[in-house]
Amino acid sequence: MRTSIRFVRLILAAMLLWSGTQMAFAQKVLMLTSNETASDALLAYNNLQSEFQSVVGAGNLTRMDVLSNPNAISQATFSNAPGPYDIVIVAGTYSPIDNTNWAVIQNAVANRWANSIVFFVDGCCEAGNGGNAAKMVAALNGGAATTFSLGSNLNAIASFPLNTNSPFASSFTGLNPFAGGYITYINQVPASNALYLATGTPPANFPPAGSTPVNNVYGLLIPTAQSNAGKGACVFSVVDVSPFVSPPWDSNRGKIAPAFINAATSENGACGLPKVAKSFDKADIYLGGTDNTTTLTIQLSNGTPVAISGVNLTDNLPAPLQIGAGAVSNTCTSGTLTANPGSNAISFTGFGIPSGGCSVTVPVVWPNTDAGRQACANAPAVTNTITPGVDFVSPTGQVNTPATASLTCHAGLLNLSKLV
């Protein structure tokens, strides 16, 4: 019987760990597109949708083909259920995106209504689509405070090399080159932000990282720290939709979404958003002895070269866990850290995350009391969760992946012995 109970508890713990892993990958994506009737444009949008659904799941992507309609979107679009969204995709092809919607998109970039906004707006057809590419560049300049301009045209299918000198290139190494075509290049892009360069550019001619403007850029990235003086969204932009139709699609399929999800959600991603993670130093607690304590470590990442200040963190331990006796410590800067023994609340306000990240460590106990033993018998597996945007808030935004850590309690075993 003891073996079967222990087996059931192990299964429960595994299920909790599995569900936490699934939650970690559940990024919410909003896809906003122009209203199209042409078969190739619709195919491109369908492939774009399936590409991101393959990573985040169909239930985590919302598609709205409305951008050609006046006043089709507003600030509420970015937060209404099933939002709020981690990533917003803006796509345009042959039909004009209405000016009222461009105004909303510009505000979304400027005020970070989503952590990251990805633009696939075709520069093939400026005369027929109301100048979508030019309006996209204007929206970026107004929202992210940049000075981009449209460059020359390329009326052919081509491959565009990843600028490996860019400090933001590491998220996109799996998408090199980026295939597309029939585009309008973007000019006046700082070298570090020039992510994909003109077709045929040899590595020897890749611009060194820095702020020197580069012309004929296929794809660019603006990290959060640089977008509207740190107040805006992380932005990726390419004046092209053809990556999602063949023959470019044959090369790009299965590579685009993983690159962008990594850039937007990884603690070392190109967007530069801080991320919270957590763990216990053991998976199992045993009552009846001295093995009912563990150490909780909360890890806070910062992949940018500058510190992030004014961060707030709250962690409410699930019953019956309590903060134990012992040292509470952290490697972060400033702030007020409160974690009183016997309580279940950890609070850290107004602190800073230095470049490279920091951590908080707190002793935790599963109390060997009547209530603790009853909980161990009735619900032996517990999961501790920090929800970004609620429990973890950074003024520069944050990766909205919940941080979870699980514990399984085991009742103390009775050891019998006899002396003959």
Side-chain angles (χ1 to χ4, degrees):
M1 178 65 73
R2 181 181 299 162
T3 301
S4 63
I5 292 175
R6 186 166 294 175
F7 176 77
V8 170
R9 290 180 173 179
L10 289 172
I11 291 295
L12 287 172
M15 290 175 67
L16 284 167
L17 289 170
W18 180 86
S19 64
T21 302
Q22 296 302 305
M23 184 183 295
F25 289 97
Q27 302 299 317
K28 291 188 178 181
V29 177
L30 173 63
M31 179 176 166
L32 300 172
T33 77
S34 55
N35 310 43
E36 303 290 345
T37 57
S39 59
D40 57 340
L42 292 174
L43 176 62
Y45 290 171
N46 290 339
N47 287 340
L48 192 162
Q49 178 179 351
S50 66
E51 173 74 3
F52 278 83
Q53 282 182 344
S54 68
V55 176
V56 304
N60 291 308
L61 187 145
T62 301
R63 175 174 167 179
M64 299 173 63
D65 300 335
V66 298
L67 291 181
S68 300
N69 301 331
N71 300 305
I73 60 173
S74 66
Q75 181 178 354
T77 305
F78 295 78
S79 58
N80 284 348
Y85 299 94
D86 303 288
I87 300 173
V88 173
I89 300 169
V90 177
T93 311
Y94 302 123
S95 297
I97 295 176
D98 192 82
N99 289 337
T100 58
N101 298 323
W102 276 124
V104 174
I105 291 168
Q106 177 174 315
N107 282 328
V109 172
N111 299 294
R112 200 189 302 127
W113 291 347
N115 274 345
S116 60
I117 301 180
V118 181
F119 291 88
F120 295 107
V121 177
D122 214 312
C124 70
C125 327
E126 287 293 273
N129 65 16
N132 278 343
K135 292 177 180 178
M136 179 196 72
V137 168
L140 290 181
N141 290 340
T146 54
T147 57
F148 306 141
S149 62
L150 285 184
S152 60
N153 297 326
L154 174 67
N155 296 316
I157 296 297
S159 294
F160 304 92
L162 176 67
N163 176 19
T164 53
N165 289 340
S166 168
F168 314 118
S170 60
S171 294
F172 297 88
T173 54
L175 182 60
N176 187 20
F178 200 165
Y182 295 94
I183 55 96
T184 303
Y185 284 116
I186 304 173
N187 287 347
Q188 295 298 112
V189 180
S192 290
N193 303 99
L195 198 59
Y196 288 95
L197 304 172
T199 183
T201 304
N205 290 348
F206 287 2
S211 58
T212 303
V214 175
N215 291 335
N216 294 331
V217 171
Y218 176 74
L220 61 88
L221 186 136
I222 309 168
T224 306
Q226 296 178 4
S227 181
N228 193 24
K231 301 176 183 177
C234 179
V235 172
F236 178 88
S237 177
V238 58
V239 191
D240 199 4
V241 171
S242 60
F244 300 97
V245 292
S246 294
W249 179 234
D250 299 329
S251 173
N252 297 328
R253 186 198 306 257
K255 302 176 182 177
I256 298 175
F260 288 106
I261 297 295
N262 176 270
T265 64
S266 169
E267 57 266 41
N268 297 313
C271 287
L273 297 174
K275 181 178 180 179
V276 61
K278 65 190 311 184
S279 62
F280 292 111
D281 66 347
K282 62 180 69 170
D284 298 282
I285 288 288
Y286 294 89
L287 294 186
T290 60
D291 200 21
N292 64 328
T293 61
T294 181
T295 298
L296 171 65
T297 299
I298 303 173
Q299 193 71 39
L300 304 153
S301 70
N302 176 11
T304 72
V306 296
I308 302 171
S309 59
V311 182
N312 294 312
L313 171 72
T314 300
D315 188 9
N316 294 306
L317 302 177
L321 299 184
Q322 297 176 358
I323 297 168
V328 175
S329 63
N330 78 91
T331 58
C332 305
T333 59
S334 303
T336 301
L337 176 59
T338 304
N340 297 320
S343 74
N344 69 340
I346 302 165
S347 174
F348 200 5
T349 59
F351 68 96
I353 307 175
S355 178
C358 63
S359 62
V360 178
T361 57
V362 179
V364 172
V365 61
W366 190 305
N368 190 13
T369 60
D370 289 343
R373 289 187 288 271
Q374 190 64 47
C376 187
N378 295 343
V382 297
T383 298
N384 186 16
T385 301
I386 295 176
T387 304
V390 178
D391 305 317
F392 172 58
V393 179
S394 160
T396 63
Q398 62 283 319
V399 174
N400 290 326
T401 302
T404 61
S406 297
L407 277 176
T408 300
C409 177
H410 305 272
L413 300 180
L414 179 63
N415 294 318
L416 298 177
S417 63
K418 64 180 181 178
L419 179 63
V420 178

mmCIF file of all heavy atoms in Angstrom, residues 32-74:
data_model
loop_
_atom_site.group_PDB
_atom_site.id
_atom_site.type_symbol
_atom_site.label_atom_id
_atom_site.label_comp_id
_atom_site.label_asym_id
_atom_site.label_seq_id
_atom_site.Cartn_x
_atom_site.Cartn_y
_atom_site.Cartn_z
ATOM 1 N N LEU A 32 -3.117 40.948 -36.472
ATOM 2 C CA LEU A 32 -3.947 41.965 -37.116
ATOM 3 C C LEU A 32 -3.533 42.084 -38.574
ATOM 4 O O LEU A 32 -2.364 42.333 -38.870
ATOM 5 C CB LEU A 32 -3.763 43.319 -36.420
ATOM 6 C CG LEU A 32 -4.125 43.390 -34.925
ATOM 7 C CD1 LEU A 32 -3.709 44.733 -34.348
ATOM 8 C CD2 LEU A 32 -5.616 43.151 -34.731
ATOM 9 N N THR A 33 -4.479 41.921 -39.500
ATOM 10 C CA THR A 33 -4.147 41.954 -40.913
ATOM 11 C C THR A 33 -5.098 42.867 -41.675
ATOM 12 O O THR A 33 -6.205 43.172 -41.217
ATOM 13 C CB THR A 33 -4.220 40.557 -41.555
ATOM 14 O OG1 THR A 33 -5.596 40.215 -41.781
ATOM 15 C CG2 THR A 33 -3.579 39.504 -40.664
ATOM 16 N N SER A 34 -4.637 43.296 -42.856
ATOM 17 C CA SER A 34 -5.508 44.015 -43.774
ATOM 18 C C SER A 34 -6.548 43.056 -44.345
ATOM 19 O O SER A 34 -6.375 41.840 -44.324
ATOM 20 C CB SER A 34 -4.683 44.637 -44.911
ATOM 21 O OG SER A 34 -3.915 43.625 -45.562
ATOM 22 N N ASN A 35 -7.643 43.611 -44.846
ATOM 23 C CA ASN A 35 -8.711 42.798 -45.439
ATOM 24 C C ASN A 35 -8.321 42.472 -46.878
ATOM 25 O O ASN A 35 -8.200 43.372 -47.710
ATOM 26 C CB ASN A 35 -10.033 43.559 -45.438
ATOM 27 C CG ASN A 35 -10.372 44.152 -44.080
ATOM 28 O OD1 ASN A 35 -9.520 44.712 -43.402
ATOM 29 N ND2 ASN A 35 -11.619 44.061 -43.684
ATOM 30 N N GLU A 36 -8.094 41.215 -47.176
ATOM 31 C CA GLU A 36 -7.607 40.807 -48.499
ATOM 32 C C GLU A 36 -8.559 39.816 -49.156
ATOM 33 O O GLU A 36 -9.248 39.043 -48.469
ATOM 34 C CB GLU A 36 -6.219 40.180 -48.382
ATOM 35 C CG GLU A 36 -5.161 41.066 -47.745
ATOM 36 C CD GLU A 36 -4.748 42.243 -48.598
ATOM 37 O OE1 GLU A 36 -5.057 42.259 -49.807
ATOM 38 O OE2 GLU A 36 -4.097 43.165 -48.060
ATOM 39 N N THR A 37 -8.568 39.840 -50.494
ATOM 40 C CA THR A 37 -9.322 38.864 -51.280
ATOM 41 C C THR A 37 -8.420 38.078 -52.212
ATOM 42 O O THR A 37 -8.791 36.987 -52.655
ATOM 43 C CB THR A 37 -10.422 39.560 -52.099
ATOM 44 O OG1 THR A 37 -9.832 40.551 -52.945
ATOM 45 C CG2 THR A 37 -11.447 40.207 -51.182
ATOM 46 N N ALA A 38 -7.238 38.602 -52.552
ATOM 47 C CA ALA A 38 -6.321 37.915 -53.456
ATOM 48 C C ALA A 38 -5.847 36.611 -52.826
ATOM 49 O O ALA A 38 -5.522 36.558 -51.630
ATOM 50 C CB ALA A 38 -5.137 38.814 -53.784
ATOM 51 N N SER A 39 -5.777 35.568 -53.630
ATOM 52 C CA SER A 39 -5.472 34.239 -53.102
ATOM 53 C C SER A 39 -4.073 34.162 -52.508
ATOM 54 O O SER A 39 -3.866 33.497 -51.477
ATOM 55 C CB SER A 39 -5.622 33.193 -54.213
ATOM 56 O OG SER A 39 -4.755 33.491 -55.308
ATOM 57 N N ASP A 40 -3.083 34.862 -53.118
ATOM 58 C CA ASP A 40 -1.727 34.762 -52.584
ATOM 59 C C ASP A 40 -1.598 35.490 -51.242
ATOM 60 O O ASP A 40 -0.878 35.039 -50.347
ATOM 61 C CB ASP A 40 -0.705 35.280 -53.588
ATOM 62 C CG ASP A 40 -0.962 36.711 -54.017
ATOM 63 O OD1 ASP A 40 -2.097 37.198 -53.855
ATOM 64 O OD2 ASP A 40 -0.032 37.348 -54.547
ATOM 65 N N ALA A 41 -2.328 36.605 -51.085
ATOM 66 C CA ALA A 41 -2.298 37.313 -49.808
ATOM 67 C C ALA A 41 -2.959 36.477 -48.709
ATOM 68 O O ALA A 41 -2.449 36.393 -47.582
ATOM 69 C CB ALA A 41 -2.985 38.664 -49.932
ATOM 70 N N LEU A 42 -4.084 35.862 -49.028
ATOM 71 C CA LEU A 42 -4.764 35.016 -48.046
ATOM 72 C C LEU A 42 -3.911 33.811 -47.678
ATOM 73 O O LEU A 42 -3.864 33.410 -46.503
ATOM 74 C CB LEU A 42 -6.115 34.569 -48.587
ATOM 75 C CG LEU A 42 -7.163 35.676 -48.747
ATOM 76 C CD1 LEU A 42 -8.410 35.132 -49.440
ATOM 77 C CD2 LEU A 42 -7.529 36.273 -47.390
ATOM 78 N N LEU A 43 -3.221 33.235 -48.664
ATOM 79 C CA LEU A 43 -2.332 32.111 -48.393
ATOM 80 C C LEU A 43 -1.202 32.542 -47.464
ATOM 81 O O LEU A 43 -0.846 31.819 -46.525
ATOM 82 C CB LEU A 43 -1.760 31.564 -49.701
ATOM 83 C CG LEU A 43 -0.732 30.434 -49.570
ATOM 84 C CD1 LEU A 43 -1.355 29.209 -48.903
ATOM 85 C CD2 LEU A 43 -0.156 30.060 -50.940
ATOM 86 N N ALA A 44 -0.641 33.727 -47.720
ATOM 87 C CA ALA A 44 0.437 34.232 -46.869
ATOM 88 C C ALA A 44 -0.041 34.392 -45.432
ATOM 89 O O ALA A 44 0.644 33.995 -44.481
ATOM 90 C CB ALA A 44 0.964 35.552 -47.409
ATOM 91 N N TYR A 45 -1.238 34.951 -45.247
ATOM 92 C CA TYR A 45 -1.766 35.153 -43.897
ATOM 93 C C TYR A 45 -2.046 33.818 -43.207
ATOM 94 O O TYR A 45 -1.801 33.658 -42.005
ATOM 95 C CB TYR A 45 -3.038 35.999 -43.944
ATOM 96 C CG TYR A 45 -2.811 37.453 -44.321
ATOM 97 C CD1 TYR A 45 -3.882 38.299 -44.577
ATOM 98 C CD2 TYR A 45 -1.528 37.983 -44.426
ATOM 99 C CE1 TYR A 45 -3.694 39.633 -44.918
ATOM 100 C CE2 TYR A 45 -1.328 39.311 -44.764
ATOM 101 C CZ TYR A 45 -2.413 40.131 -45.015
ATOM 102 O OH TYR A 45 -2.220 41.450 -45.346
ATOM 103 N N ASN A 46 -2.571 32.869 -43.957
ATOM 104 C CA ASN A 46 -2.842 31.549 -43.372
ATOM 105 C C ASN A 46 -1.549 30.859 -42.940
ATOM 106 O O ASN A 46 -1.495 30.222 -41.878
ATOM 107 C CB ASN A 46 -3.605 30.680 -44.367
ATOM 108 C CG ASN A 46 -5.031 31.148 -44.593
ATOM 109 O OD1 ASN A 46 -5.597 31.862 -43.759
ATOM 110 N ND2 ASN A 46 -5.621 30.768 -45.706
ATOM 111 N N ASN A 47 -0.507 30.988 -43.777
ATOM 112 C CA ASN A 47 0.771 30.387 -43.419
ATOM 113 C C ASN A 47 1.405 31.102 -42.232
ATOM 114 O O ASN A 47 2.014 30.461 -41.365
ATOM 115 C CB ASN A 47 1.723 30.428 -44.617
ATOM 116 C CG ASN A 47 1.338 29.418 -45.695
ATOM 117 O OD1 ASN A 47 0.625 28.453 -45.422
ATOM 118 N ND2 ASN A 47 1.803 29.640 -46.915
ATOM 119 N N LEU A 48 1.267 32.428 -42.183
ATOM 120 C CA LEU A 48 1.772 33.188 -41.046
ATOM 121 C C LEU A 48 1.087 32.724 -39.759
ATOM 122 O O LEU A 48 1.731 32.496 -38.734
ATOM 123 C CB LEU A 48 1.532 34.677 -41.285
ATOM 124 C CG LEU A 48 2.221 35.708 -40.367
ATOM 125 C CD1 LEU A 48 2.211 37.083 -41.021
ATOM 126 C CD2 LEU A 48 1.570 35.803 -38.999
ATOM 127 N N GLN A 49 -0.230 32.557 -39.834
ATOM 128 C CA GLN A 49 -0.984 32.102 -38.667
ATOM 129 C C GLN A 49 -0.535 30.713 -38.226
ATOM 130 O O GLN A 49 -0.281 30.477 -37.038
ATOM 131 C CB GLN A 49 -2.476 32.098 -38.991
ATOM 132 C CG GLN A 49 -3.354 31.598 -37.841
ATOM 133 C CD GLN A 49 -4.829 31.643 -38.191
ATOM 134 O OE1 GLN A 49 -5.234 32.184 -39.221
ATOM 135 N NE2 GLN A 49 -5.661 31.068 -37.343
ATOM 136 N N SER A 50 -0.429 29.794 -39.168
ATOM 137 C CA SER A 50 -0.037 28.428 -38.807
ATOM 138 C C SER A 50 1.390 28.377 -38.278
ATOM 139 O O SER A 50 1.705 27.555 -37.407
ATOM 140 C CB SER A 50 -0.184 27.497 -40.020
ATOM 141 O OG SER A 50 0.734 27.844 -41.045
ATOM 142 N N GLU A 51 2.252 29.252 -38.785
ATOM 143 C CA GLU A 51 3.640 29.288 -38.321
ATOM 144 C C GLU A 51 3.708 29.611 -36.831
ATOM 145 O O GLU A 51 4.410 28.932 -36.062
ATOM 146 C CB GLU A 51 4.421 30.324 -39.134
ATOM 147 C CG GLU A 51 5.835 30.600 -38.652
ATOM 148 C CD GLU A 51 6.829 29.493 -38.977
ATOM 149 O OE1 GLU A 51 6.438 28.506 -39.638
ATOM 150 O OE2 GLU A 51 7.991 29.605 -38.559
ATOM 151 N N PHE A 52 2.978 30.624 -36.382
ATOM 152 C CA PHE A 52 3.024 30.992 -34.972
ATOM 153 C C PHE A 52 2.188 30.044 -34.115
ATOM 154 O O PHE A 52 2.535 29.782 -32.958
ATOM 155 C CB PHE A 52 2.589 32.445 -34.791
ATOM 156 C CG PHE A 52 3.693 33.427 -35.068
ATOM 157 C CD1 PHE A 52 3.985 33.818 -36.363
ATOM 158 C CD2 PHE A 52 4.472 33.922 -34.042
ATOM 159 C CE1 PHE A 52 5.023 34.704 -36.625
ATOM 160 C CE2 PHE A 52 5.506 34.810 -34.285
ATOM 161 C CZ PHE A 52 5.793 35.201 -35.594
ATOM 162 N N GLN A 53 1.098 29.520 -34.679
ATOM 163 C CA GLN A 53 0.312 28.546 -33.922
ATOM 164 C C GLN A 53 1.115 27.292 -33.629
ATOM 165 O O GLN A 53 0.904 26.646 -32.590
ATOM 166 C CB GLN A 53 -0.953 28.183 -34.696
ATOM 167 C CG GLN A 53 -2.062 29.220 -34.606
ATOM 168 C CD GLN A 53 -3.313 28.795 -35.340
ATOM 169 O OE1 GLN A 53 -3.280 27.868 -36.162
ATOM 170 N NE2 GLN A 53 -4.419 29.457 -35.077
ATOM 171 N N SER A 54 2.036 26.948 -34.503
ATOM 172 C CA SER A 54 2.828 25.744 -34.293
ATOM 173 C C SER A 54 3.708 25.854 -33.057
ATOM 174 O O SER A 54 4.145 24.842 -32.493
ATOM 175 C CB SER A 54 3.701 25.456 -35.520
ATOM 176 O OG SER A 54 4.711 26.450 -35.675
ATOM 177 N N VAL A 55 3.964 27.088 -32.603
ATOM 178 C CA VAL A 55 4.795 27.295 -31.415
ATOM 179 C C VAL A 55 3.941 27.588 -30.186
ATOM 180 O O VAL A 55 4.157 27.005 -29.118
ATOM 181 C CB VAL A 55 5.795 28.450 -31.647
ATOM 182 C CG1 VAL A 55 6.596 28.732 -30.376
ATOM 183 C CG2 VAL A 55 6.731 28.117 -32.794
ATOM 184 N N VAL A 56 2.951 28.481 -30.316
ATOM 185 C CA VAL A 56 2.183 28.901 -29.135
ATOM 186 C C VAL A 56 0.895 28.119 -28.954
ATOM 187 O O VAL A 56 0.268 28.184 -27.890
ATOM 188 C CB VAL A 56 1.858 30.413 -29.190
ATOM 189 C CG1 VAL A 56 3.124 31.219 -29.323
ATOM 190 C CG2 VAL A 56 0.882 30.750 -30.326
ATOM 191 N N GLY A 57 0.452 27.397 -29.979
ATOM 192 C CA GLY A 57 -0.808 26.660 -29.908
ATOM 193 C C GLY A 57 -1.957 27.469 -30.484
ATOM 194 O O GLY A 57 -2.006 28.698 -30.344
ATOM 195 N N ALA A 58 -2.883 26.772 -31.126
ATOM 196 C CA ALA A 58 -4.005 27.447 -31.788
ATOM 197 C C ALA A 58 -4.840 28.257 -30.812
ATOM 198 O O ALA A 58 -5.371 29.323 -31.154
ATOM 199 C CB ALA A 58 -4.883 26.414 -32.510
ATOM 200 N N GLY A 59 -4.962 27.787 -29.573
ATOM 201 C CA GLY A 59 -5.782 28.489 -28.598
ATOM 202 C C GLY A 59 -5.171 29.778 -28.084
ATOM 203 O O GLY A 59 -5.850 30.560 -27.408
ATOM 204 N N ASN A 60 -3.885 30.014 -28.405
ATOM 205 C CA ASN A 60 -3.200 31.211 -27.920
ATOM 206 C C ASN A 60 -2.951 32.243 -29.012
ATOM 207 O O ASN A 60 -2.210 33.205 -28.790
ATOM 208 C CB ASN A 60 -1.867 30.823 -27.277
ATOM 209 C CG ASN A 60 -2.057 30.068 -25.985
ATOM 210 O OD1 ASN A 60 -2.768 30.520 -25.100
ATOM 211 N ND2 ASN A 60 -1.451 28.904 -25.886
ATOM 212 N N LEU A 61 -3.545 32.056 -30.186
ATOM 213 C CA LEU A 61 -3.418 33.040 -31.262
ATOM 214 C C LEU A 61 -4.802 33.511 -31.684
ATOM 215 O O LEU A 61 -5.685 32.703 -31.980
ATOM 216 C CB LEU A 61 -2.669 32.464 -32.462
ATOM 217 C CG LEU A 61 -2.337 33.454 -33.576
ATOM 218 C CD1 LEU A 61 -0.992 33.123 -34.231
ATOM 219 C CD2 LEU A 61 -3.413 33.523 -34.650
ATOM 220 N N THR A 62 -4.995 34.819 -31.695
ATOM 221 C CA THR A 62 -6.242 35.444 -32.128
ATOM 222 C C THR A 62 -5.979 36.221 -33.408
ATOM 223 O O THR A 62 -5.061 37.042 -33.453
ATOM 224 C CB THR A 62 -6.782 36.390 -31.051
ATOM 225 O OG1 THR A 62 -6.999 35.666 -29.842
ATOM 226 C CG2 THR A 62 -8.087 37.038 -31.493
ATOM 227 N N ARG A 63 -6.768 35.963 -34.438
ATOM 228 C CA ARG A 63 -6.580 36.637 -35.727
ATOM 229 C C ARG A 63 -7.760 37.544 -36.029
ATOM 230 O O ARG A 63 -8.920 37.153 -35.879
ATOM 231 C CB ARG A 63 -6.413 35.595 -36.841
ATOM 232 C CG ARG A 63 -6.322 36.197 -38.248
ATOM 233 C CD ARG A 63 -6.014 35.115 -39.270
ATOM 234 N NE ARG A 63 -6.208 35.567 -40.644
ATOM 235 C CZ ARG A 63 -5.990 34.824 -41.728
ATOM 236 N NH1 ARG A 63 -5.565 33.568 -41.577
ATOM 237 N NH2 ARG A 63 -6.193 35.308 -42.936
ATOM 238 N N MET A 64 -7.468 38.777 -36.466
ATOM 239 C CA MET A 64 -8.494 39.753 -36.835
ATOM 240 C C MET A 64 -8.118 40.377 -38.185
ATOM 241 O O MET A 64 -7.130 41.108 -38.267
ATOM 242 C CB MET A 64 -8.620 40.838 -35.764
ATOM 243 C CG MET A 64 -9.023 40.329 -34.392
ATOM 244 S SD MET A 64 -8.958 41.632 -33.109
ATOM 245 C CE MET A 64 -10.199 42.776 -33.745
ATOM 246 N N ASP A 65 -8.869 40.057 -39.241
ATOM 247 C CA ASP A 65 -8.623 40.626 -40.575
ATOM 248 C C ASP A 65 -9.458 41.894 -40.730
ATOM 249 O O ASP A 65 -10.466 41.913 -41.439
ATOM 250 C CB ASP A 65 -8.996 39.601 -41.656
ATOM 251 C CG ASP A 65 -8.183 38.316 -41.538
ATOM 252 O OD1 ASP A 65 -7.070 38.368 -40.988
ATOM 253 O OD2 ASP A 65 -8.662 37.264 -41.997
ATOM 254 N N VAL A 66 -9.028 42.988 -40.103
ATOM 255 C CA VAL A 66 -9.888 44.171 -39.982
ATOM 256 C C VAL A 66 -9.182 45.487 -40.274
ATOM 257 O O VAL A 66 -9.826 46.543 -40.276
ATOM 258 C CB VAL A 66 -10.483 44.253 -38.561
ATOM 259 C CG1 VAL A 66 -11.367 43.042 -38.272
ATOM 260 C CG2 VAL A 66 -9.384 44.383 -37.507
ATOM 261 N N LEU A 67 -7.893 45.487 -40.543
ATOM 262 C CA LEU A 67 -7.150 46.744 -40.559
ATOM 263 C C LEU A 67 -7.530 47.675 -41.703
ATOM 264 O O LEU A 67 -7.201 48.875 -41.657
ATOM 265 C CB LEU A 67 -5.642 46.462 -40.610
ATOM 266 C CG LEU A 67 -5.045 45.844 -39.342
ATOM 267 C CD1 LEU A 67 -3.552 45.646 -39.505
ATOM 268 C CD2 LEU A 67 -5.345 46.702 -38.124
ATOM 269 N N SER A 68 -8.213 47.182 -42.726
ATOM 270 C CA SER A 68 -8.667 48.060 -43.813
ATOM 271 C C SER A 68 -9.943 48.797 -43.458
ATOM 272 O O SER A 68 -10.355 49.718 -44.184
ATOM 273 C CB SER A 68 -8.862 47.249 -45.100
ATOM 274 O OG SER A 68 -7.655 46.629 -45.491
ATOM 275 N N ASN A 69 -10.586 48.411 -42.365
ATOM 276 C CA ASN A 69 -11.818 49.077 -41.927
ATOM 277 C C ASN A 69 -11.481 50.241 -41.013
ATOM 278 O O ASN A 69 -10.684 50.097 -40.083
ATOM 279 C CB ASN A 69 -12.724 48.102 -41.173
ATOM 280 C CG ASN A 69 -13.118 46.897 -41.995
ATOM 281 O OD1 ASN A 69 -13.207 46.970 -43.215
ATOM 282 N ND2 ASN A 69 -13.336 45.772 -41.329
ATOM 283 N N PRO A 70 -12.088 51.415 -41.225
ATOM 284 C CA PRO A 70 -11.822 52.551 -40.340
ATOM 285 C C PRO A 70 -12.194 52.224 -38.894
ATOM 286 O O PRO A 70 -13.195 51.563 -38.625
ATOM 287 C CB PRO A 70 -12.721 53.659 -40.910
ATOM 288 C CG PRO A 70 -12.988 53.257 -42.326
ATOM 289 C CD PRO A 70 -13.006 51.763 -42.325
ATOM 290 N N ASN A 71 -11.347 52.674 -37.971
ATOM 291 C CA ASN A 71 -11.600 52.537 -36.536
ATOM 292 C C ASN A 71 -11.861 51.093 -36.104
ATOM 293 O O ASN A 71 -12.647 50.835 -35.192
ATOM 294 C CB ASN A 71 -12.787 53.418 -36.130
ATOM 295 C CG ASN A 71 -12.545 54.882 -36.431
ATOM 296 O OD1 ASN A 71 -11.556 55.459 -35.997
ATOM 297 N ND2 ASN A 71 -13.451 55.476 -37.213
ATOM 298 N N ALA A 72 -11.175 50.164 -36.758
ATOM 299 C CA ALA A 72 -11.398 48.741 -36.464
ATOM 300 C C ALA A 72 -10.724 48.303 -35.172
ATOM 301 O O ALA A 72 -11.125 47.307 -34.567
ATOM 302 C CB ALA A 72 -10.907 47.879 -37.617
ATOM 303 N N ILE A 73 -9.699 49.026 -34.735
ATOM 304 C CA ILE A 73 -8.991 48.646 -33.518
ATOM 305 C C ILE A 73 -8.853 49.865 -32.605
ATOM 306 O O ILE A 73 -8.981 51.013 -33.050
ATOM 307 C CB ILE A 73 -7.594 48.064 -33.812
ATOM 308 C CG1 ILE A 73 -6.718 49.087 -34.539
ATOM 309 C CG2 ILE A 73 -7.706 46.772 -34.600
ATOM 310 C CD1 ILE A 73 -5.270 48.648 -34.714
ATOM 311 N N SER A 74 -8.616 49.582 -31.327
ATOM 312 C CA SER A 74 -8.421 50.624 -30.332
ATOM 313 C C SER A 74 -7.488 50.074 -29.267
ATOM 314 O O SER A 74 -7.026 48.921 -29.348
ATOM 315 C CB SER A 74 -9.755 51.032 -29.713
ATOM 316 O OG SER A 74 -10.295 49.953 -28.967
#
